[in-house]
Amino acid sequence: MEKYIEAFVQAFIGSLNWTWKSILFDVPWYSNFFWGLILISLVVWGFEIMFPWRKKQNIFRKDFWLDGFYMFFNFFVFSIIISGFYKVIGLLFNDFGVTIKSISLVDITQFPNFLQLLMFFIVLDFVQWFTHVLLHKYEFLWRFHQVHHSVKEMGFAAHLRYHWMENIFYKPLKTVAVMLLGGFEPEQAFIVHFVAIAIGHLNHANIKLSWGPLKYVFNNPVMHLYHHAKALPSDRSKGVNFGISLSVWDYIFKTNYIPESSGAIALGWKGDEGFPKSFFGQLLIGFKQNIKG
Ligand SMILES: [Zn+2]
Ligand SMILES: [Zn+2]
C-alpha cells in the first residue's frame, strides 16, 4: 500500500513541478505546452480577428473567458490532479502482469522517425474519433459531452471547453493505441501533440477554412461547425462530423454532413435551454442527472 501512496505523491508533485517549470521557461522549448498553448491560441485568435467568418461576432465572443478558463483547467489543473491516479493504475496493471508492452503489435522503432510519427498520429486520431462517436451514442457519456456542445458562439477557445470526465473516457482507447504501437510515444511525439492542438483550435475558430480537396483528409472549421449544429438531419439525430484532427473517418464511415457554409447556424442541441452557464454548474450537471437517472 505504501508503494502506491508514494508513487501517487511523487507523480502529483512531479507533474506540479513540471507545470511550474514550464511557466518559468525552465523546460525544453518543444515540451513547453504551457507557453505553446498560449502561442497557438494567440496565432489562431489573430486569424479570427483578421479574417472573421461571422463578421458580426465579437472578438471577445460569448463565453470567451469561460472557455479560456477551461483551456487551462483541462490542460494543467486536471493533469496535475489526475497524474497520481494514472500512476497508481499503471502500477496495479503491472502487478497483475500487464505492462505497457503486453499487447504490442508492431515495433515502430524499426521505421523512420517520420513514419513513426505519422502512424502514431493516425492511430491515435482514429481511436479518438471512435470514442467521440460513443460520447454521442450513449446517454451516460453524452451528458458529460454536452458541456462541449453548450458553446453558442464558436471561437478557437471552445476547443477545450469540455468536462474533465472526457479525459477519463478518452484515456482507455488512447492507452490501448499506444500499447499496440509498442508501448511508448515516439521521441518527437510533441510534434503530433502540437499539431493536434493547432488543428483543434482551427476547427473551432471563426474562420472560413476548408482546405480545398484536402477537406477529405483534414477536419476544418466549416465541417466542425456542423458537428455543433442544433438542427441535425432526422436520420442522424445522434450527430455528424465526429472527426478530431482528421475528417477522413467521417467520409469512410459516412458520418459526414456539410449542407452549406454560411456559418450562420444555431449551435447546441434540442432542449439545451436550461443547461448551466457557469463552470461549476457545468461541472456538476452530468453527475446530478445520472443520479436522478
Ligand atoms: Zn461532439
Ligand atoms: Zn467541437
Side-chain angles (χ1 to χ4, degrees), residues 31-50:
S31 48
N32 197 327
F33 283 91
F34 185 85
W35 289 105
L37 180 63
I38 292 177
L39 183 67
I40 293 173
S41 299
L42 290 176
V43 170
V44 177
W45 194 28
F47 283 134
E48 284 191 349
I49 295 168
M50 286 186 291

Side-chain angles (χ1 to χ4, degrees), residues 162-182:
Y162 57 82
H163 196 282
W164 60 266
M165 279 287 279
E166 283 202 26
N167 288 311
I168 314 258
F169 299 144
Y170 276 99
K171 187 77 177 172
L173 282 181
K174 275 165 80 176
T175 307
V176 167
V178 171
M179 287 170 81
L180 289 172
L181 290 176

Side-chain angles (χ1 to χ4, degrees), residues 16 36 215:
L16 191 65
K215 68 180 177 196

Side-chain angles (χ1 to χ4, degrees), residues 26-290:
D26 201 12
V27 299
W29 65 268
Y30 53 80
S31 48
N32 197 327
F33 283 91
F34 185 85
W35 289 105
L37 180 63
I38 292 177
L39 183 67
I40 293 173
S41 299
L42 290 176
V43 170
V44 177
W45 194 28
F47 283 134
E48 284 191 349
I49 295 168
M50 286 186 291
F51 315 105
W53 180 10
R54 292 169 292 281
K55 307 244 180 314
K56 285 186 192 137
Q57 185 170 307
N58 284 333
I59 293 171
F60 292 95
R61 64 172 172 85
K62 187 178 188 317
D63 291 342
F64 181 89
W65 296 110
L66 173 71
D67 292 347
F69 178 76
Y70 264 109
M71 205 151 88
F72 287 94
F73 180 85
N74 280 329
F75 244 69
F76 304 105
V77 180
F78 176 81
S79 314
I80 293 167
I81 296 171
I82 203 71
S83 56
F85 290 97
Y86 283 159
K87 182 80 197 169
V88 170
I89 292 170
L91 276 182
L92 283 169
F93 271 105
N94 261 323
D95 289 351
F96 283 102
V98 181
T99 74
I100 195 91
K101 291 193 183 298
S102 292
I103 56 166
S104 126
L105 274 186
V106 277
D107 173 18
I108 61 168
T109 50
Q110 61 183 314
F111 302 121
N113 274 352
F114 175 73
L115 210 60
Q116 286 186 33
L117 287 177
L118 196 65
M119 283 176 73
F120 184 68
F121 178 63
I122 293 173
V123 173
L124 229 57
D125 190 72
F126 174 71
V127 296
Q128 292 184 88
W129 175 86
F130 184 72
T131 308
H132 190 189
V133 172
L134 299 182
L135 293 184
H136 280 259
K137 195 169 156 63
Y138 294 103
E139 183 66 22
F140 161 75
L141 302 172
W142 168 240
R143 285 170 179 175
F144 291 99
H145 188 49
Q146 279 179 340
V147 172
H148 183 64
H149 282 266
S150 67
V151 175
K152 287 295 178 186
E153 266 184 352
M154 195 54 80
F156 75 93
H159 174 205
L160 298 175
R161 180 198 297 196
Y162 57 82
H163 196 282
W164 60 266
M165 279 287 279
E166 283 202 26
N167 288 311
I168 314 258
F169 299 144
Y170 276 99
K171 187 77 177 172
L173 282 181
K174 275 165 80 176
T175 307
V176 167
V178 171
M179 287 170 81
L180 289 172
L181 290 176
F184 68 97
E185 296 202 346
E187 215 175 304
Q188 288 106 352
F190 63 89
I191 299 174
V192 170
H193 296 312
F194 276 122
V195 167
I197 295 172
I199 295 179
H201 267 38
L202 281 173
N203 289 341
H204 292 85
N206 182 22
I207 312 168
K208 191 176 183 181
L209 184 72
S210 56
W211 304 125
L214 287 178
K215 68 180 177 196
Y216 298 110
V217 179
F218 293 106
N219 198 1
N220 54 73
V222 176
M223 187 171 194
H224 194 67
L225 192 75
Y226 285 91
H227 176 66
H228 284 263
K230 188 160 185 164
L232 289 167
S234 56
D235 58 332
R236 288 188 270 176
S237 59
K238 293 280 183 192
V240 293
N241 305 348
F242 299 100
I244 309 289
S245 294
L246 299 177
S247 59
V248 67
W249 315 120
D250 285 310
Y251 287 104
I252 292 175
F253 295 100
K254 308 256 181 314
T255 44
N256 60 305
Y257 177 72
I258 308 170
E260 50 97 26
S261 60
S262 66
I265 53 164
L267 308 180
W269 66 92
K270 281 205 182 74
D272 63 0
E273 291 73 21
F275 197 74
K277 309 241 177 308
S278 71
F279 175 76
F280 285 105
Q282 294 181 355
L283 199 73
L284 298 173
I285 187 86
F287 296 109
K288 277 191 199 155
Q289 287 174 340
N290 284 319

